[in-house]
Amino acid sequence: MGALALIEILDRDGSVRHAQKVLSWPLRVGRSLDNDLVLDDPHVAGHHFQVNANDDGVYLTVGDTVNGVGIGSQRLAAGERWQAAAAPSSIVVGRSHLRLRLAEHPLPAEVPLRHTRVLAQRVTSIAWLVLVNLLLLVFATYLASDPEPLPRTLARDVMSGVALLFAWCGAWTLLSKLFTRQGHFAWHVRVLLTAAIVWQLLDGLMTLAAFAFSWPWLTGHSYVLETAVAAAALYFHLQAVEPHRPLVTRAFAAAAFVVGLGLTLWGNWQRSESTSSELYQAALFPPSFRVAKTVDTDHFLEGLEPLEASLDAKAKKPADEDDAGGGEEEE
Amino acid sequence: MNKSPWWSAVALAAGLLWSAPALAQTAPLPAQPAEDAAPAVSLSARKVYEQARSQLVQIRTVLKGQASQASVGSGFFVSDQGHIVTNYHVVSQAALKPDRYDLVYVTADGREAAVQLLMLDVLHDLALLKAVPRSEPFDALSFRAAGKPLGQGERMYSLGNPLDVGFAVIEGNYNGLAERSFYPQIFFAGSLSAGMSGGPALDQEGRVIGVNVARRVDGEQVSFLVPAEFASVLLQRGRDAAPITAPVWPIVGDQLMTHQALLTDRFIRQGWKTGTHPRYTVPVPVDRFMRCWGRSETSRTGGLDFERSDCAMDTRIFVGEFNTGSLRTGHESYDGSKLGSLRFAKRYSQSFRNESFQRLSSEHQTKPQCHEDYVDRDGLPLRAVVCLRAYKKLPKLYDVSVLVATLDQSKAGVQGRFDVQGVNYANAMKLTRHYLEAYGWARSH
């Protein structure tokens, strides 16, 4: 006789820890030993729920429980009923994650095993990412060092780059392993290398545009996009740690973005009473990169006129209490 | 711009600057062995001291309600009604915070009495005080006539109470006026110490030539006196003034307004040096009341070569809790021909970024506010940044800094900086224009 259904206990990473065939209705689930499926979970009631069938199909009835039953985003209280859906549903009782598969649920097609192909694809893309990052690193080191010590500096920078990559991705791999039983090292490497490229290209383009068009506000606020890149990288890293909770990881990354941005803004305000992270645009490119027109001295000085009123207004504000008395300590 | 050379040049050029407030304070110094003592005091030094002993006082700034001294300096009677001359920096704490500090004077025979502040001359670092009236007249020193300067090398005597150890007479020589000082100061070859500030310097007849004010900490026996004529003028102006009981910030502000007008006018009038760069005209001031230092550095690792020049004023106005009223220029001329244009741009940017525009704490100054753009100087493109800060206790006075980088070459350029402290807005604009317009193409170019 074929089974009517399958009730599965899932692990935190979504893999099946235990599966039990249901040969006849009702299926009773709870902590008490007279259940069909016994859950040793302190947050589960003695008779937590049971599943029955009638002419309309399979339905679930919640037993005498304080915690209720969670089905998807739905929450059922004691005594409530739920009609089974046309696809397997995940059921949360206490801290246990269950899944109910019914015989009438259509069976999805078999997923072909493409492990080796995927691995090969990843190797090529990682090789590309490594190459681009390496080129960017070499270029940055070339720009920053004098001709003579260049080979030495380059060796040092590449080594520290590699060390940083392994330390960062290693830490994420540990987290992945802890929560999903899989390392996902290659995934974390891809996330980091991609983020590094995006970050550097964005930063370079913004600095160049700020110089070319005389837009100091652009470099002054490049931290907005940079924080967004960092938050996106965090989101993708987290995907390999909590793959089954996209909402949580998305919310976490968004929160990280908001908090990071808030802290940067607050720091900038403390330092210079402006949202900009720098007082003036300092990056100078070769003269041919300049697009903005020059102004004459008169025009330039006109731009200084509005500062008087704003400085006077700020001068009238008393200093913070903790700053006061700084002068006396020098005595 | 490269930071370290800037500061080392200032230290070398202006070691004096603000050893002056240190003079008012007593820092315990290791006592010298007896055999190091100066040669026996000459007969005339003894005579001068004997004559001046009763006119000499120590000025103490006393913490209200605690009777412990916050700082000490010296002073001397200049009228029989009890007028006392000293340095402003000796009384600045009490003058700026009269609710926290009291002023007292102590005579050579140890009598202590209260003293009031009548008038200030912040620009020459002088203050006029008045002792509480008493029945018998005070003994007073007289000023040497202004038209009769001493000859260089003539003996003179500085009196005061060094380090609160006791009243002392220091022999030294008159050496004329210190060069490149914005306001005249007598160069006294004698050893002044902290605590002697405000004491008189006398000629052989015991007449006041100057008032002890500062010394160079990087030299030996390089000391400075405020010429007596300024003390004499202060006495004439302030003889019958009512005592000042409120904080003196408004008076200081008014006097700084006078200073900044004079400074702006003299600075603009003196003009710029010529031939400061082969390709551009770069603003380097004529060093009439400034001192310029230059140096050249070639990279040992095949990198950026540069030359720099820094000009700064020796004179700064001591306000009490900070200095102001000074002016400074500097520039670096870069040659990156060994680097290529991209690498040069990187170095040039780093140097342009490496600038600070914070000077005083937020108790005294606002945060800087800047304006920047590409400025055209007869076809020479410049990147110019101007940052201003306003003083919080000195209304309508500002510090202005101008930062300039030339942008016509891909492997070479000049970056300059101009700093002015304590000017009004109109003069800040005037000086900014004066500085920016000094950039251009050299005639030979």
Side-chain angles (χ1 to χ4, degrees):
Chain A
M1 177 179 133
L4 298 170
L6 190 70
I7 182 88
E8 298 164 323
I9 305 178
L10 303 181
D11 237 338
R12 231 185 144 281
D13 59 347
S15 56
V16 179
R17 193 203 301 162
H18 173 82
Q20 188 174 316
K21 279 187 178 176
V22 182
L23 299 173
S24 63
W25 298 118
L27 162 73
R28 283 162 305 180
V29 178
R31 199 146 40 88
S32 171
L33 291 182
D34 58 2
N35 285 295
D36 302 305
L37 179 66
V38 180
L39 294 172
D40 272 325
D41 180 335
H43 305 288
V44 167
H47 298 98
H48 205 101
F49 69 85
Q50 64 171 314
V51 185
N52 267 308
N54 60 12
D55 293 345
D56 295 335
V58 178
Y59 62 93
L60 181 149
T61 320
V62 182
D64 185 15
T65 158
V66 284
N67 290 319
V69 171
I71 294 167
S73 57
Q74 214 181 329
R75 200 83 219 162
L76 303 178
E80 282 189 278
R81 252 175 87 145
W82 170 78
Q83 199 70 33
S89 307
S90 75
I91 301 167
V92 181
V93 288
R95 292 239 165 108
S96 306
H97 291 245
L98 310 177
R99 185 166 55 195
L100 183 65
R101 270 180 68 190
L102 300 180
E104 57 261 40
H105 283 157
L107 196 64
E110 180 188 3
V111 179
L113 194 61
R114 280 189 302 199
H115 197 65
T116 45
R117 241 186 82 207
V118 168
L119 191 66
Q121 264 181 348
R122 278 185 185 162
V123 168
T124 335
S125 69
I126 286 180
W128 274 109
L129 287 170
V130 168
L131 185 70
V132 174
N133 267 287
L134 201 62
L135 287 175
L136 286 172
L137 182 68
V138 169
F139 184 60
T141 310
Y142 162 81
L143 282 185
S145 69
D146 280 351
E148 275 176 39
L150 179 62
R152 213 170 49 237
T153 323
L154 203 56
R156 191 197 61 201
D157 286 4
V158 170
M159 271 197 285
S160 37
V162 171
L164 203 73
L165 175 88
F166 275 91
W168 180 259
C169 297
W172 278 109
T173 304
L174 271 179
L175 280 177
S176 290
K177 190 89 183 159
L178 198 64
F179 289 105
T180 68
R181 298 190 187 176
Q182 276 179 296
H184 301 299
F185 182 73
W187 171 266
H188 290 302
V189 168
R190 276 149 58 104
V191 170
L192 177 65
L193 293 181
T194 312
I197 294 171
V198 174
W199 178 297
Q200 287 175 77
L201 289 182
L202 267 180
D203 193 58
L205 284 175
M206 282 191 287
T207 315
L208 181 59
F211 173 84
F213 302 106
S214 191
W215 289 339
W217 52 267
L218 188 60
T219 39
H221 297 87
S222 57
Y223 62 87
V224 178
L225 278 181
E226 286 163 359
T227 314
V229 172
L234 181 67
Y235 169 67
F236 285 108
H237 276 307
L238 282 173
Q239 276 202 332
V241 176
E242 284 281 19
H244 303 291
R245 300 168 80 183
L247 273 179
V248 175
T249 47
R250 230 169 280 164
F252 189 82
F257 173 70
V258 170
V259 170
L261 203 58
L263 285 176
T264 313
L265 273 171
W266 183 73
N268 290 344
W269 195 262
Q270 290 298 311
R271 201 171 56 249
S272 58
E273 286 179 15
S274 101
T275 54
S276 176
S277 60
E278 51 181 33
L279 202 53
Y280 59 98
Q281 199 270 112
L284 302 174
F285 284 80
S288 51
F289 286 74
R290 177 171 63 85
V291 176
K293 295 231 164 26
T294 52
V295 299
D296 59 15
T297 322
D298 289 331
H299 192 87
F300 180 71
L301 290 170
E302 277 167 28
L304 280 163
E305 280 166 14
L307 296 189
E308 183 178 8
S310 108
L311 281 165
D312 286 349
K314 286 188 175 174
K316 286 202 181 81
K317 275 197 293 184
D320 300 339
E321 270 306 307
D322 48 10
D323 283 328
E328 284 148 297
E329 281 156 31
E330 290 157 23
E331 302 289 339
Chain B
M1 287 187 291
N2 206 322
K3 262 288 121 58
S4 55
W6 181 289
W7 292 112
S8 65
V10 167
L12 195 65
L16 143 78
L17 298 163
W18 302 103
S19 67
L23 267 182
Q25 292 156 25
T26 56
L29 289 177
Q32 292 294 309
E35 55 267 31
D36 278 6
V41 171
S42 71
L43 260 181
S44 50
R46 188 165 153 189
K47 196 182 81 188
V48 165
Y49 180 72
E50 282 305 322
Q51 281 178 1
R53 195 173 174 274
S54 59
Q55 293 95 312
L56 198 58
V57 291
Q58 187 188 37
I59 306 290
R60 289 188 186 159
T61 305
V62 182
L63 213 53
K64 257 194 179 130
Q66 280 205 20
S68 51
Q69 59 196 35
S71 74
V72 293
S74 301
F76 55 99
F77 284 106
V78 288
S79 81
D80 55 5
Q81 299 121 53
H83 290 93
I84 296 172
V85 164
T86 184
N87 287 136
Y88 167 68
H89 77 251
V90 170
V91 298
S92 65
Q93 277 172 294
L96 296 171
K97 290 182 177 156
D99 53 329
R100 286 210 222 166
Y101 299 100
D102 281 327
L103 286 173
V104 297
Y105 74 91
V106 184
T107 60
D109 49 17
R111 279 177 297 152
E112 183 179 318
V115 69
Q116 284 177 312
L117 181 63
L118 292 191
M119 196 164 270
L120 310 173
D121 180 353
V122 176
L123 309 187
H124 296 99
D125 199 357
L126 291 173
L128 184 68
L129 315 178
K130 193 175 182 189
V132 177
R134 64 178 190 196
S135 49
E136 70 266 37
F138 292 87
D139 277 348
L141 290 170
S142 58
F143 295 106
R144 186 184 165 101
K148 289 205 282 176
L150 290 177
Q152 183 150 14
E154 268 194 66
R155 220 75 195 117
M156 54 187 290
Y157 309 92
S158 167
L159 281 68
N161 190 333
L163 306 173
D164 200 25
V165 170
F167 287 96
V169 53
I170 309 281
E171 262 191 81
N173 302 83
Y174 177 84
N175 277 299
L177 294 178
E179 283 183 12
R180 304 187 191 187
S181 179
F182 190 76
Y183 295 115
Q185 281 196 324
I186 294 169
F187 171 19
F188 170 61
S191 305
L192 293 188
S193 297
M196 293 185 73
S197 279
L202 309 176
D203 64 11
Q204 310 233 23
E205 282 80 49
R207 287 166 306 191
V208 179
I209 306 163
V211 181
N212 305 335
V213 68
R215 69 173 167 133
R216 279 285 282 258
V217 286
D218 53 346
E220 301 294 330
Q221 304 214 351
V222 182
S223 301
F224 301 96
L225 312 170
V226 182
E229 60 198 88
F230 299 110
S232 171
V233 168
L234 185 65
L235 174 64
Q236 298 315 317
R237 271 175 43 214
R239 190 184 283 276
D240 301 316
I244 301 170
T245 49
V248 296
W249 286 110
I251 302 171
V252 172
D254 284 349
Q255 297 189 356
L256 287 174
M257 276 295 173
T258 314
H259 171 75
Q260 61 88 33
L262 188 65
L263 177 68
T264 306
D265 182 54
R266 274 179 70 181
F267 184 75
I268 289 178
R269 247 186 313 123
Q270 73 172 2
W272 304 107
K273 283 182 183 169
T274 53
T276 47
H277 191 275
R279 186 179 173 91
Y280 316 114
T281 56
V282 176
V284 176
V286 175
D287 35 9
R288 212 158 280 151
F289 56 84
M290 302 183 80
R291 203 167 259 118
C292 297
W293 300 92
R295 70 189 180 93
S296 160
E297 204 159 282
T298 313
S299 170
R300 282 185 219 128
T301 48
L304 195 63
D305 299 336
F306 69 91
E307 287 173 356
R308 66 174 296 135
S309 154
D310 288 293
C311 301
M313 275 171 76
D314 273 0
T315 306
R316 290 167 200 199
I317 309 298
F318 177 77
V319 170
E321 290 164 357
F322 54 87
N323 298 320
T324 183
S326 194
L327 195 150
R328 176 167 89 177
T329 70
H331 74 266
E332 278 179 351
S333 169
Y334 294 98
D335 174 6
S337 51
K338 290 177 276 182
L339 281 172
S341 56
L342 287 179
R343 264 176 167 171
F344 172 76
K346 177 86 176 173
R347 261 9 99 75
Y348 205 49
S349 304
Q350 279 167 352
S351 176
F352 200 60
R353 172 171 288 122
N354 185 22
E355 294 293 325
S356 164
F357 292 99
Q358 302 264 29
R359 192 168 78 89
L360 302 176
S361 72
S362 62
E363 183 193 2
H364 293 300
Q365 260 185 345
T366 62
K367 300 269 194 299
Q369 291 208 327
C370 304
H371 175 63
E372 58 194 302
D373 211 334
Y374 294 113
V375 174
D376 169 71
R377 285 297 309 137
D378 300 328
L380 171 65
L382 306 174
R383 181 74 188 170
V385 182
V386 176
C387 294
L388 290 128
R389 296 165 299 236
Y391 287 85
K392 291 196 172 174
K393 292 178 183 171
L394 299 165
K396 291 289 172 194
L397 285 175
Y398 310 84
D399 280 2
V400 57
S401 301
V402 188
L403 195 60
V404 167
T406 62
L407 280 180
D408 63 311
Q409 303 178 83
S410 59
K411 286 180 241 171
V414 167
Q415 290 184 11
R417 179 168 173 164
F418 179 45
D419 288 282
V420 191
Q421 302 166 356
V423 287
N424 68 16
Y425 212 83
N427 281 339
M429 295 303 101
K430 209 163 146 184
L431 287 162
T432 302
R433 175 188 293 277
H434 180 60
Y435 182 75
L436 285 175
E437 289 184 343
Y439 282 90
W441 298 112
R443 205 168 296 162
S444 56
H445 173 73

